[in-house]
Amino acid sequence: MNVRAGIVVTGTEVLTGTITDRNGPWVAKSLLDLGVDVAHITICGDRPADLTAQLRFLAAEGVDLIVTTGGLGPTADDLTVATVASFAERPLALDTALEAHIADIIARWRRTSGIDSPALAAGIRKQAMVPEGTQAIDPVGTAPGIAIPAAPAKSTPAILILPGPPAELQGMWPAGLATDAVTQALSGRGVYRTQTIRAYRLSEPDLAATLRSAEGQIDDVDQLEITTCLRGGEVEIVTRYAATAQPAYDALAEYLTKHHAAQIFSIDGSTIDDQLAAALSGRSVATAESCTGGLIAARLTDRAGSSEYFLGGIAAYANEVKTETLGVPTELINEHGAVSEQVARAMADGARTVLHTDTAVSTTGIAGPGGGSELKPVGTVCFGIAVAGQPTRTHTVTFPGGRATVRALATTAAFHLLAEALNDVEANLASPRRSVI
C-alpha cells in the first residue's frame, strides 16, 4: 500500500481505561476499507505535550494522514485544536460563520434542556476558533471537525481532527473524507479488497500448516496479506490484497476450502448469526438454557428482525424448572443426571411444546468453576436440537477455559448445531452436511 495513516485517540479517560476506545478501531477499519494502510494507533491523555509527541512521531514515520479523535469540547481540558494548530504552525482565527452555526445548535439545546449559563458563549467561541488555511467540518453535536492540508515543506502530513463521541465522529466521517485536505492525502491509494473466510473448530496450527503449504502451490500468494484470528471457537481468515491479485486470492480460497471443507462454513464473510437467521426464515424457534443462562436467547435477539422467528426462551437453571416448566421427567434427571444428552433432548422437546415453535435448542452443562466430576468435568455441555418432523439431535462437548469462556463457546456451538440441523432438513439429507462438533 502506498498511502499510510496514523490515528491519535486523545482523552485521559481512554488512556486510563475508564472508557474503552471505540474510535481507534472504527477509524482504522474505515481507512483500511478505503485501501489506506493504518501504520499506528496511539492513545494519549489530555496533555498538549503528549499529543504533540504523538503528532511528531507519526509525521516522522512518514504517514500521509493523521486522524485525531477527542478533545474538541468547550472546556479547558479540550485542547486538541490549539495543540494541532501549534504543531502545524497555523495561528487560530475566529470563524464567525461557524460561531453562528454552533450558537444556533446551542440555542436549540437550551430550549429543550432549560439550561442556560454565561459560560456557554465562551464555549461557543472556543469551538469556533479554527487554524488558518484549514477547512471546518459542520458538527453533528456541537464540536466541529477540522481538516488541515499537508505541508511538505514543513514535513507535516494532512491532519483530520474529529470529536470523541463515537456517534459524532461517525456522523462527520463522510464530510471529513470529502474535504480537500483529506482527498488530496488519499489520492495515491490503490484499489484494495478484503475477503473473510470463517471456519469452526479448525485449530490454528492446522490452518498455519495449510497456509505454509499454500506458499509453494499458489502463484503470487506473497501479494496477499493474510491475518488469522481465533474468536469464540471460530477462526477468521482475513485477506487484504490489491485488485490485481484477485486470481491469487481465488486460488487461496479454493485451496483452503479443499483442505478444510468440514470446518469452513463461510467463504463470503457471512457470520454464523447471518446464516442461522437465514435458516430460520419462515420458522419459529425457542430456547431452553441451563448453563448458558439465556445467552443463546440474547444473541438471537441481538439481531434486528429476530422477532419474526424467535418466540421466547426459558432459563431452566434449577431442576424444578426443568421438570415443572419444560416437562422433563424427574426420573430422567435422577437416572442420567441434569447434565446429560437425555435431559438436553427432553429440554429441547419441552421448549418446542411449551412455546409452540417448530424448532428449539437446549443446553445443560457444568460451566464451573466447581461441580465437575471425573465422568463429567467442568466444561461439559450437552445440547439438544429439536426440529419438527425430525428426530431430536443431541451432542456433548467439553469446552476449555473458565466459566465465562465455557458459556461463550457453548453459545457459539449452539448456533452452529442449530444451523447445521436446519440446513440438513432443507437439503433433505440423511446425514449431516458437515460435522461441527
Side-chain angles (χ1 to χ4, degrees), residues 104-120:
D104 184 58
I105 295 172
I106 295 295
R108 294 197 301 269
W109 175 76
R110 282 172 174 165
R111 289 193 293 270
T112 57
S113 68
I115 299 174
D116 198 359
S117 169
L120 287 174

Side-chain angles (χ1 to χ4, degrees), residues 291 339 364-373 376-382 399 403 406:
C291 61
V339 180
T364 177
I366 307 165
S373 65
K376 298 177 183 178
V378 170
T380 300
V381 179
C382 300
F399 297 104
R403 183 178 182 83
V406 168

Side-chain angles (χ1 to χ4, degrees), residues 203-214 228 260:
S203 73
E204 289 185 290
D206 286 340
L207 174 59
T210 302
L211 290 174
R212 283 194 299 271
S213 68
T228 62
H260 302 292

Side-chain angles (χ1 to χ4, degrees), residues 6-15 19-28 31 40-46 51 54-55 58 66-73 77-81 84 143-146 159-170 172-173:
I7 302 166
V8 183
V9 178
T10 67
T12 301
E13 69 281 6
V14 181
L15 182 66
I19 295 176
T20 301
D21 174 31
R22 293 167 53 194
N23 290 333
W26 189 90
V27 172
L31 288 171
H40 301 277
I41 300 177
T42 68
I43 300 176
C44 68
D46 297 305
L51 174 54
Q54 302 305 313
L55 296 171
L58 291 173
I66 298 174
V67 180
T68 73
T69 74
L72 305 188
D77 62 341
D78 291 311
L79 299 170
T80 296
V81 173
V84 175
I146 297 172
I159 304 174
L160 177 61
I161 303 174
L162 293 172
E168 294 184 27
L169 180 150
Q170 294 174 27
M172 294 163 65
W173 182 251

Side-chain angles (χ1 to χ4, degrees), residues 234 265 270-285 296-310 358-359 361 411-412 414-423 426 433-434:
E234 297 177 349
F265 67 91
S270 61
T271 66
I272 189 60
D273 302 64
D274 297 329
Q275 295 180 6
L276 182 55
L280 286 168
S281 177
R283 290 184 172 274
S284 57
V285 66
I296 299 172
R299 184 163 163 181
L300 282 168
T301 55
D302 271 345
R303 190 180 192 86
S306 58
S307 59
E308 294 181 5
Y309 48 80
F310 182 78
D358 57 48
T359 309
V361 56
T411 301
T412 297
F415 269 55
H416 280 274
L417 289 167
L418 184 53
E420 179 190 49
L422 292 172
N423 288 333
E426 185 68 22
R433 171 179 55 88
R434 62 182 177 87

